[in-house]
Amino acid sequence: MSEHNTDTTTRSDTDEQSAEQRRSWTESSGSGTVNIQDLTKVYGDDGDELVAVDGMDLHIEAEEFVTVLGPSGCGKSTVMECIAGYLDPTEGEVLVNDEPVEGPDPSRGVVFQENRLFPWKTISENVRFGPQMRDDVDESRVASLFDQMGLSGFEDAYPHELSGGMQQRAELARLLANDPDIMLMDEPFSGLDAMTKELMQEKLLDVWEDDDRTVLFITHDVEEAILLADRVVVMTARPGQVKDVIDVDLERPRSTDIVTTDRFNELQRRASESIHDEAERAMEQAEGRV
Amino acid sequence: MSTGSISDRLVEGFAGGLPSPTRGVRKLVSLVGFVAVWWLFYEFGVLNFEHFVSPVTTIVEFAGALAGQPLTEGGDTIYLHAVYSGARVAVGVVAAALLAIPLGLVVGTSDRWENLLYPALEALRPIPPISWLPIAIIVFPALALGSISVPLPALFVVFIGSFFPIFTNTIEGARTIETEYGQAARSLGAGSGDVFRHVVLPATLPSIITGLSLGVGLGWITVVAAELLTGGPGLGYIIIQGSRLLQNQVVVIGMLAVGALGYATSALVEALGNWLMPWSTE
Amino acid sequence: MAYARRLEQSASLLALLAIWAVVTMLVGAIPSLPSPVEVVVAFADAAARSSFWQEVGRSTFRVYLSFAIATVVAIPLGLLIGRSEIFSDLTFPALEVLRPIPPIAWYPALTIILLTPANIVRFIIFLAAFFPILLNTIEGVRGVEEEYPQAARSLGATQFQTMRHVVLPGALPSIYTGLVNAMGLAWVSLVAAELLSSSGLGYFIWNAFTAGEYPNIVVGMIAVGVLGYGSSALLRRLGARAIPWLSAANA
């Protein structure tokens, strides 16, 4: 335990330095920072209040891959919805590129837990949706996305005709067609079988390493959180706050093979320990409410 | 681009469990606005409304009618008319349900019975129930039980009107039962009678209730049409009688009474459904 | 198997005809009830007269016109009510007062407001079709998972584009159910309203009754039944074409 703690201190020192460096770099290049300041979200009113998030602070650098790890019902989706612009914070602020978030925007793409390809549109219509809304479809870009995501030949299929993994890739393609600065992903792979999930994680890492994008990825899967992230943010049970930030100093580019390394296991143990108590508390909360 | 609305709605959706005072106020505004438009139309003669009746008169007369005053000079009370119409709907729908539910279950679970019964009934289904009225008048002589005459034609039309929705929904429900339920019951030792009683019937119940609800609605439509054409007592009769006597408030009272009873009976069917299906999540 | 099936189905229809024939011709239980032969003769007779086809055309046109108007009014209204809580609170309670009143019960009141029987019939059919379409549209809109509109907004769709490309198609299966129900109720109310008026197939039926030409009652019933059935079949075909992602799912 003590070993881990000293580890953290030293690492977070270096992290602050590198964050400083990155920050200055970001300002010149432009876009993709997310700044969550004292974010509080309360649902309901008059005696039936539910504090989902309570005074959360988090800074995400441009092009950083951050995973948020938390027990179910800890308000991690609420945080994402505030960044996406679906929810207004009760208190505090969410700044994207130093501007307060005002509603959804194509520069902040969202992938939901359940597949949300429009069932009434073909794969091609789904992938084109964003650019189509602005009458600005770049055919060569769409074609290369179909190629990259292995969707060629399925342009005219409806979503339900595709396998789960293909649906996920199509949803990712739909997001990328919009060329967002920030990708917000809410447990996108939790419905997939283990093998498909692994392939999707690698696909996502490829996509992220190719382009300059910030990713905020929500999950309750410890292994997934570490595999993907530059930093893992561990959240407390409700009301949600940042409990712990774990720097993932594994080399990139990564593949799923990395999960067998010692360093990975060490990080995984740390994250598991950090989240364990919170998961227990969350379960008690859930049982108390039902 | 108004960006706040989606998030606003989300919050409202969450708070939807307990109606906030503003929602109640808005709904009241809706109802008051409705009466106000009616009153303005009447006062300023929009769309010939000046020949119609003012909402004030209607409300006053409705209160009087509820206090037991006869609706028309020397006529019957609103309660008597309501009882006649209500009884026709009740008897017609119950008779229809007693026939349609077993038939629907048989047709929905047996291919042979489906082939034998469904085509004939399907040929009759598209004929609008009201158009049976002349035939019903020809076929059924008025039945007299002591001093009360029972006009069978109106009953028959209500029966036809509610039969088909109950029948088709029962078939639909029986057809869509997952076969695994029956298989599971058999593997647990149930005989075919047990499967019917413990699997087919409860699994079809939601559809039967939907059918009953539609059937009751059509029952009210047909009973009013039948009473408009064949006379009373009954709420359909009072609607046309009020019009003949140029007492438009009676027309409106009749309409509102039919509407209220229709609303109440569909709530009754819903309550019946909830009582019969405690496992239902809705 | 298929052969036996056909045989049983034919037996079903023949039995219906046989019961009718036995009751009216052989037993003579109800002498005034028209027999199948009388009805066939009357049908041939009516089909030769242009006045019959005029009534057919008139009734059909009434149903389709009022149905179309009801669709055009009810779907946008339903989309708004389903999507906006404020709009719903302000309009829906008033509509809920009117909804449970059977359309035909409006007939006497409408004589004062709309004056001509033809307009009254049109309005009654409109009412009969309007509420099922409205209710099913609202239900359909509320059944669309909130994440679909959210996804659309995040992909850059405006409120209107979200309504057009996401909410409307998402609600379409339910809207379509409403349209089918509405078509059935439109024909039911057409007949009821025309029985009280002076033109159309409903009037044809009532006139046959009062004039004592009983076989023509059945001719009118069959004509209305065929037209109603045909209208529903047409809608079903159009629906399958408008909702390809569902028909593919069921296939």
Side-chain angles (χ1 to χ4, degrees), chain A residues 81 84 86 104-106 108-110 112-121 129-130 133-134 158 160-161 174-175 178, chain C residues 144-145 147-158 161-162 164-167 169-171 244-246 248-249:
Chain A
E81 287 183 45
Y86 305 144
D105 190 273
R108 279 168 276 129
V110 179
F112 298 89
Q113 184 171 357
E114 281 186 43
N115 184 277
R116 291 304 181 199
L117 288 170
F118 302 125
W120 43 87
K121 292 190 182 289
F129 186 87
M133 292 299 105
R134 301 183 293 278
Y158 282 104
H160 71 86
E161 295 170 299
R174 180 173 76 171
L175 199 71
N178 249 354
Chain C
V144 175
E145 283 290 340
E147 284 177 0
Y148 287 116
Q150 284 180 343
R153 296 300 305 270
S154 281
L155 290 166
T158 62
Q161 285 172 327
T162 304
R164 156 90 184 70
H165 292 282
V166 177
V167 178
W245 66 93
L246 274 196

Side-chain angles (χ1 to χ4, degrees), chain A residues 43-44 86-88, chain B residues 3 7-8 10 14:
Chain A
Y43 292 106
Y86 305 144
L87 290 176
D88 294 327
Chain B
T3 45
S7 42
D8 287 349
L10 267 171
F14 190 88

Side-chain angles (χ1 to χ4, degrees), chain B residues 139-162:
Chain B
V139 172
F140 300 115
L143 202 68
L145 296 170
S147 62
I148 307 167
S149 72
V150 182
L152 282 174
L155 264 184
F156 179 74
V157 171
V158 172
F159 168 82
I160 294 278
S162 54

Side-chain angles (χ1 to χ4, degrees), chain A:
Chain A
M1 274 305 279
S2 60
E3 258 182 13
H4 290 308
N5 283 342
T6 39
D7 251 15
T8 322
T9 8
T10 44
R11 244 198 331 278
S12 56
D13 282 344
T14 50
D15 180 52
E16 256 164 44
Q17 283 168 5
S18 67
E20 210 53 54
Q21 284 161 4
R22 262 185 280 178
R23 200 167 294 144
S24 58
W25 184 81
T26 306
E27 267 159 24
S28 57
S29 89
S31 45
T33 61
V34 178
N35 215 338
I36 299 170
Q37 296 177 344
D38 193 27
L39 174 69
T40 299
K41 182 67 197 175
V42 183
Y43 292 106
D45 50 25
D46 302 339
D48 193 27
E49 291 177 352
L50 182 82
V51 183
V53 181
D54 189 10
M56 177 169 167
D57 287 300
L58 183 67
H59 182 82
I60 302 171
E61 297 298 333
E63 295 169 39
E64 195 179 9
F65 200 129
V66 170
T67 52
V68 176
L69 187 61
S72 50
C74 74
K76 49 191 194 297
S77 295
T78 300
V79 174
M80 194 210 76
E81 287 183 45
C82 287
I83 305 172
Y86 305 144
L87 290 176
D88 294 327
T90 312
E91 274 168 50
E93 257 189 320
V94 176
L95 302 172
V96 169
N97 302 327
D98 301 324
E99 300 277 332
V101 168
E102 278 176 27
D105 190 273
S107 68
R108 279 168 276 129
V110 179
V111 178
F112 298 89
Q113 184 171 357
E114 281 186 43
N115 184 277
R116 291 304 181 199
L117 288 170
F118 302 125
W120 43 87
K121 292 190 182 289
T122 62
I123 298 304
S124 168
E125 287 167 342
N126 265 290
V127 172
R128 275 156 212 264
F129 186 87
Q132 191 83 64
M133 292 299 105
R134 301 183 293 278
D135 265 327
D136 181 27
V137 184
D138 180 346
E139 289 301 337
S140 65
R141 183 174 170 76
V142 170
S144 75
L145 275 171
F146 265 84
D147 196 39
Q148 185 189 0
M149 292 295 154
L151 294 166
S152 302
F154 291 88
E155 284 84 354
D156 296 328
Y158 282 104
H160 71 86
E161 295 170 299
L162 268 55
S163 69
M166 268 187 132
Q167 290 179 1
Q168 274 303 336
R169 295 206 297 277
E171 197 166 1
L172 206 51
R174 180 173 76 171
L175 199 71
L176 294 172
N178 249 354
D179 197 15
D181 298 330
I182 300 171
M183 292 167 65
L184 304 167
M185 309 183 81
D186 187 359
E187 306 194 20
F189 307 146
S190 62
L192 301 176
D193 63 88
M195 247 147 28
T196 313
K197 184 173 181 171
E198 200 169 292
L199 292 173
M200 281 308 299
Q201 287 165 342
E202 288 186 340
K203 188 58 109 184
L204 176 63
L205 283 173
D206 283 350
V207 165
W208 177 75
E209 274 149 12
D210 285 352
D211 299 306
D212 309 327
R213 283 179 231 288
T214 310
V215 179
L216 181 82
F217 188 105
I218 291 172
T219 182
H220 58 251
D221 177 340
V222 176
E223 186 183 289
E224 179 173 70
I226 294 166
L227 170 67
L228 297 174
D230 294 327
R231 278 193 300 160
V232 177
V233 175
V234 181
M235 281 184 75
T236 62
R238 206 179 49 240
Q241 277 165 341
V242 175
K243 180 181 184 183
D244 205 354
V245 177
I246 301 169
D247 256 312
V248 181
D249 48 5
L250 300 165
E251 83 272 17
R252 298 215 186 243
R254 291 178 202 162
S255 78
T256 47
D257 299 337
I258 208 166
V259 301
T260 55
T261 62
D262 291 342
R263 182 63 190 149
F264 188 95
N265 287 331
E266 202 184 323
L267 289 166
Q268 189 173 8
R269 202 169 332 113
R270 244 201 86 199
S272 296
E273 277 165 12
S274 181
I275 200 173
H276 182 264
D277 297 345
E278 302 305 324
E280 239 169 26
R281 261 180 62 207
M283 192 181 276
E284 279 161 18
Q285 280 174 353
E287 282 163 2
R289 275 186 79 83
V290 170

Side-chain angles (χ1 to χ4, degrees), chain C residues 14-237:
Chain C
L14 283 173
L16 180 71
L17 215 60
I19 292 169
W20 179 12
V22 167
V23 168
T24 51
M25 297 169 82
L26 300 178
V27 183
I30 307 150
S32 47
L33 191 69
S35 73
V37 176
E38 286 171 317
V39 171
V40 169
V41 171
F43 213 123
D45 193 38
R49 277 182 286 129
S50 68
S51 61
F52 173 74
W53 294 109
Q54 264 173 19
E55 304 293 19
V56 168
R58 195 171 281 149
S59 290
T60 310
F61 182 68
R62 280 173 181 166
V63 166
Y64 281 66
L65 178 70
S66 295
F67 182 85
I69 295 172
T71 306
V72 169
V73 177
I75 292 179
L77 196 60
L79 289 174
L80 282 173
I81 291 177
R83 205 66 195 126
S84 156
E85 194 177 69
I86 294 173
F87 190 77
S88 166
D89 286 347
L90 289 175
T91 53
F92 201 55
L95 289 168
E96 275 294 277
V97 174
L98 300 178
R99 186 177 61 85
I101 300 171
I104 189 64
W106 286 78
Y107 198 100
L110 291 174
T111 52
I112 297 157
I113 296 161
L114 293 174
L115 305 170
T116 72
N119 278 339
I120 297 169
V121 172
R122 283 188 199 119
F123 189 76
I124 286 175
I125 302 166
F126 166 82
L127 280 175
F130 175 77
F131 283 107
I133 302 173
L134 180 75
L135 285 190
N136 278 280
T137 305
I138 295 172
E139 199 184 302
V141 169
R142 296 199 172 143
V144 175
E145 283 290 340
E146 188 54 36
E147 284 177 0
Y148 287 116
Q150 284 180 343
R153 296 300 305 270
S154 281
L155 290 166
T158 62
Q159 293 275 22
F160 181 78
Q161 285 172 327
T162 304
M163 201 69 129
R164 156 90 184 70
H165 292 282
V166 177
V167 178
L168 179 63
L172 213 50
S174 174
I175 293 174
Y176 164 68
T177 306
L179 290 175
V180 173
N181 290 343
M183 186 54 98
L185 284 168
W187 280 101
V188 166
S189 289
L190 168 97
V191 171
E194 285 183 346
L195 286 174
L196 288 160
S197 86
S198 52
S199 64
L201 278 171
Y203 172 72
F204 179 88
I205 292 170
W206 196 248
N207 189 45
F209 171 61
T210 50
E213 300 163 357
Y214 292 166
N216 273 341
I217 298 175
V218 184
V219 170
M221 288 168 72
I222 293 172
V224 173
V226 168
L227 288 168
Y229 195 83
S231 305
S232 299
L234 187 71
L235 262 186
R236 258 175 251 279
R237 181 160 296 193

